[in-house]
Structure formats: structure tokens, C-alpha cells
Amino acid sequence: MSHADQTQTSLPAKSKPVSLRSPGTLIFERMVHRFLRDSNIEVGGENPWDITVTDRRFYRRFALKGSLGLGEAYMDGWWHCEQLDELFYRLLSGCGRCGKISRVPNMLSKVHAKIVNRQSRTRAYIVGERHYDVGNELYQLMLDPYMAYTCAYWEHSSTLDDAQKAKLDLVCRKIGLREGDTVLDVGCGWGSFARYAAEHYGAKVTGITISKEQLALARERCDGLPVDLHLCDYREFRGSFDHVVSLGMMEHVGVKNYRTYMEKIHDCLRPGGLALIQVIGSPASMCATDPWLDRYIFPNSMLPSVKQIGDAIDGVFHMEDWHSFGHDYDRTLMAWHQNFEEAWEQLRDRYDERFHRMWRYYLLLCAGIFRARRAQLWQLVLAKGGVAGGYKAVR
């Protein structure tokens, strides 16, 4: 089965047409119009963040299903917007009520997350199969040459390639990486950090991922380097290393497992070693994610808060440094979106137009989230036993 076929079969069937004269439809239309106007967004307006509705079933779907319905209606082509990123920025920063038009899907997600460990060992590989295994060619065309699929560091860079190399180098400098050091890379992706650390610092890197496609390409890209990569859940791994790095992995761990995750990193770290965790963070403690992102992009994902991270490391690690640069993720996502759109002609034979709209929606929704500061990006430096004489922050 092709990736396009897989995408089609995983998406819900389209809703049946609703009579345009239905009183209920008119009520939903008024609700949505009022809701959008609270964020200075008009239906049929002239601003690039205004929306154009092409199928009036959109109103019912959005009113009843909230953010999930909004995304599904866009995938089905029921509405359009010239600048989705600006639309989401206004929805999220203007009134912060994007999910409140319909609380039911959000509440169901929260209740389910409270009851079930959605990131258990048996469920850990789901996100790998449904997101990271969607096709290596897509990611090769969208990402930088090192294939880093986490926030770039734009402090002194003007291109995505340079900004991602700057981020990888920042990580190496923060942990004081030296030639011959051993590093465990938890959630190694396509081997971006492993390759960079081995090439530029002479490190020996062991990486683990839950994606078969990532593993195959990462091994190819790191061939000839002192890099050892495995298909493995973090709870199943054993070893001892000078340093542990985990970039963009904690978002898949879940609140029920944060403590286990930190304890596993602690167990794999030698006395005196440093661990660095890069993670997208939430400004408030939550136990579930946006319903649309959960269903179509990152199943079972969850963003930790400062409090949740603090509870997880309490009595386990010494916190040496906490660096926040979430504004850089907006720029990173916009760069990925530009690459994706420019590469679409090379990808259209493998993916259908609904996938195209889904992926565009994903990238620009996330850009709007970071632009509105509804999500953060943190790098944490953690020490096993604390750094003698104190840790000097690196930027």
C-alpha cells in the first residue's frame, strides 16, 4: 500500500451534505462568525488571515467538533485561507478560545489521558508508524542537510541549514563534549545529532528511535562513523555513557511516564555526566494535546509544563541550566513549510491533495502556536550530582 493510500484509509469519511436552509445550519453559521470576529477574522474578508468558506457544512463541523472539525474541514477543502499561520496566530493570541467553541472533543481527550497510559510500551511505536514512517523522501526535501527535525537556533544564523548546525553545536558545547566521549541519543531521529557530534567532536554516539524508517536512513547517513543506532523504546535500553542527549523526544513520553523517563536517563548517565533535554513546553500543565494534532500528526503526544518537569526531576537531577527560545520555532516551521511547498511537485505522485492540505495545515498551525507564545521551546542541562564549582551557561 502506498503512503497516499495509507493516508486516505486513516482519515474519516466525509460528512453527509446538510441542507443549506436548515435552521440549525444558520445557527452554527452565526456562532462561527461571532467567534471569528472576536479575533478580528472575517469570513469572506480581504485580509490574508480571513477565511473563504466553499462548503457551508464547515460551520456545523467547526461548531460541533472545535479544533478537530476546523482541521478536518480544511483537509476536505471546505474552507481556505491565504495565510494560515497568521489566522492561527490571531485565534490563539487574540482571545485564546480556539478550542472553546466546542469543549466536547477536548474534554474526551483529557478524560482518556487521565485513565489510560497513552504512551505505554505497547503504544510507544504508534507515533513512529503514523508520523515518522510516512516517507523519508518527504523529510529529506523538507529538512536541512543534517535532517534535524527539532527547533533550529537562529541567534547568529540567517538560513535553516546554518541555524540547525548552530543548534547541534550548541548542544555539544552545553554538555562539554570532547573527543572520545560516549553519548546516548534518546530519540535520535535520522541521526542529525549523532552524525554532527561524531564528525565535529569525535564523539562515540549510541542512538535509539521508535521509527523503522528513521533507523534505516540514519544508519545509511552515519555509515563509517562511530555511531551505533537501534530500534528501541527508551524504557528497554541499558548502558552507561558520559552524556545523554534527548532532542524533541519528551513530547512523546506523557505525564504518566515523565518520572520514568528522567530516571532512565539518570541510570544511563555516569557520575559527573551531563544530560541535555530539548523539549516543546506548555505554559500550563496539561494531560492531552490538541485533538486534531493528536489524530492526524502526533498521536499520543503531550507537552510538559515547568511544574511537570520539575516534579519529574525532583530528587533525581540537579538543574544546571534552563534555556528558552521558543520564538525560534516559528521561524523554523516557516522554513520547513517553504521547503515542503517548493518540493510538492516531487512528492505529489506519492501523496494525495488531502495529505498536502493536512501537512500544510500542520506546519502553519504550529507556527501560529509558537508565534502566539502558546508553546515554548526549552533546553535543559541536568547534572548527575551537580557540577563541581558550578555550571557556566552556554548560549
Side-chain angles (χ1 to χ4, degrees):
M1 182 182 293
S2 70
H3 289 301
D5 293 334
Q6 289 176 334
T7 302
Q8 286 278 34
T9 57
S10 66
L11 302 178
K14 297 181 180 180
S15 304
K16 295 180 180 180
V18 176
S19 172
L20 298 184
R21 295 182 179 180
S22 165
T25 301
L26 294 175
I27 291 172
F28 293 136
E29 184 172 341
R30 293 191 188 104
M31 287 173 58
V32 170
H33 276 266
R34 286 197 302 267
F35 173 77
L36 294 174
R37 284 184 186 131
D38 283 345
S39 296
N40 297 315
I41 299 165
E42 296 288 340
V43 176
E46 298 180 353
N47 294 310
W49 56 81
D50 291 330
I51 71 171
T52 299
V53 175
T54 56
D55 191 316
R56 292 179 69 179
R57 288 176 292 174
F58 157 79
Y59 296 110
R60 178 185 181 90
R61 201 177 209 177
F62 184 24
L64 294 180
K65 299 179 70 176
S67 61
L68 178 60
L70 182 66
E72 289 179 344
Y74 182 82
M75 290 160 59
D76 286 337
W78 292 2
W79 65 277
H80 305 276
C81 176
E82 184 180 340
Q83 290 187 8
L84 281 173
D85 52 308
E86 281 295 296
L87 167 71
F88 292 122
Y89 167 71
R90 279 162 174 76
L91 281 175
L92 293 166
S93 62
C95 60
R97 302 193 310 172
C98 190
K100 294 183 182 179
I101 195 167
S102 175
R103 297 176 181 271
V104 175
N106 292 346
M107 288 303 296
L108 291 176
S109 297
K110 292 176 182 178
V111 170
H112 189 255
K114 286 282 189 182
I115 299 172
V116 178
N117 184 356
R118 302 182 69 211
Q119 301 82 15
S120 64
R121 293 190 189 209
T122 57
R123 298 174 62 87
Y125 293 84
I126 293 175
V127 68
E129 295 166 356
R130 289 181 52 187
H131 185 77
Y132 298 105
D133 289 350
V134 75
N136 282 333
E137 183 185 11
L138 165 63
Y139 291 105
Q140 286 176 299
L141 291 170
M142 185 179 81
L143 304 177
D144 66 292
Y146 272 98
M147 293 191 70
Y149 194 30
T150 54
C151 182
Y153 188 55
W154 295 87
E155 184 71 19
H156 305 292
S157 302
S158 58
T159 68
L160 177 65
D161 294 0
D162 288 344
Q164 288 292 16
K165 284 189 288 188
K167 186 269 301 296
L168 296 173
D169 197 67
L170 181 68
V171 173
C172 293
R173 290 186 290 117
K174 283 187 175 183
I175 61 175
L177 193 60
R178 295 177 296 182
E179 185 174 358
D181 281 358
T182 57
V183 187
L184 173 63
D185 185 355
V186 182
C188 64
W190 291 275
S192 60
F193 172 79
R195 180 178 172 184
Y196 188 90
E199 287 179 341
H200 294 272
Y201 284 81
K204 301 175 182 178
V205 185
T206 299
I208 59 174
T209 176
I210 43 78
S211 165
K212 294 179 181 178
E213 293 292 320
Q214 281 187 336
L215 179 66
L217 185 57
R219 283 177 170 171
E220 178 183 322
R221 291 168 57 82
C222 295
D223 185 46
L225 295 171
V227 174
D228 186 23
L229 304 173
H230 305 270
L231 186 71
C232 181
D233 178 66
Y234 68 94
R235 286 161 287 206
E236 301 166 353
F237 192 79
R238 300 287 186 275
S240 180
F241 300 86
D242 297 317
H243 308 285
V244 179
V245 166
S246 187
L247 309 179
M249 160 66 188
M250 194 175 178
E251 297 90 334
H252 303 301
V253 170
V255 66
K256 292 182 180 294
N257 309 297
Y258 290 152
R259 183 75 173 190
T260 300
Y261 170 75
M262 291 298 182
E263 289 175 343
K264 172 55 67 174
I265 291 176
H266 183 273
D267 290 346
C268 291
L269 193 61
R270 290 173 182 159
L274 292 176
L276 185 143
I277 296 172
Q278 179 170 311
V279 59
I280 300 171
S282 170
S285 295
M286 305 176 70
C287 60
T289 192
D290 173 80
W292 186 85
L293 286 171
D294 181 67
R295 177 172 295 187
Y296 293 100
I297 306 299
F298 296 114
N300 307 319
S301 63
M302 190 181 301
L303 304 184
S305 67
V306 171
K307 181 181 183 298
Q308 290 168 336
I309 292 175
D311 289 342
I313 67 173
D314 186 32
V316 178
F317 278 115
H318 284 67
M319 170 65 67
E320 297 289 357
D321 188 37
W322 193 307
H323 184 189
S324 177
F325 54 100
H327 57 283
D328 282 14
Y329 228 143
D330 178 9
R331 192 170 177 181
T332 303
L333 284 153
M334 294 305 293
W336 289 344
H337 171 254
Q338 180 178 344
N339 289 346
F340 171 69
E341 295 294 350
E342 290 176 353
W344 179 245
E345 287 301 317
Q346 299 173 249
L347 296 168
R348 64 167 56 251
D349 290 340
R350 297 192 60 187
Y351 307 94
D352 61 17
E353 184 56 28
R354 196 160 189 250
F355 179 92
H356 184 195
R357 294 177 67 83
M358 178 185 76
W359 207 258
R360 176 197 297 144
Y361 190 91
Y362 147 55
L363 294 172
L364 296 180
L365 166 62
C366 291
I369 289 172
F370 281 98
R371 194 173 306 166
R373 304 311 305 273
R374 304 286 288 188
Q376 311 294 323
L377 190 285
W378 301 321
Q379 280 189 354
L380 287 65
V381 177
L382 308 174
K384 187 171 184 175
V387 175
Y391 177 84
K392 295 182 179 180
V394 177
R395 296 291 184 267

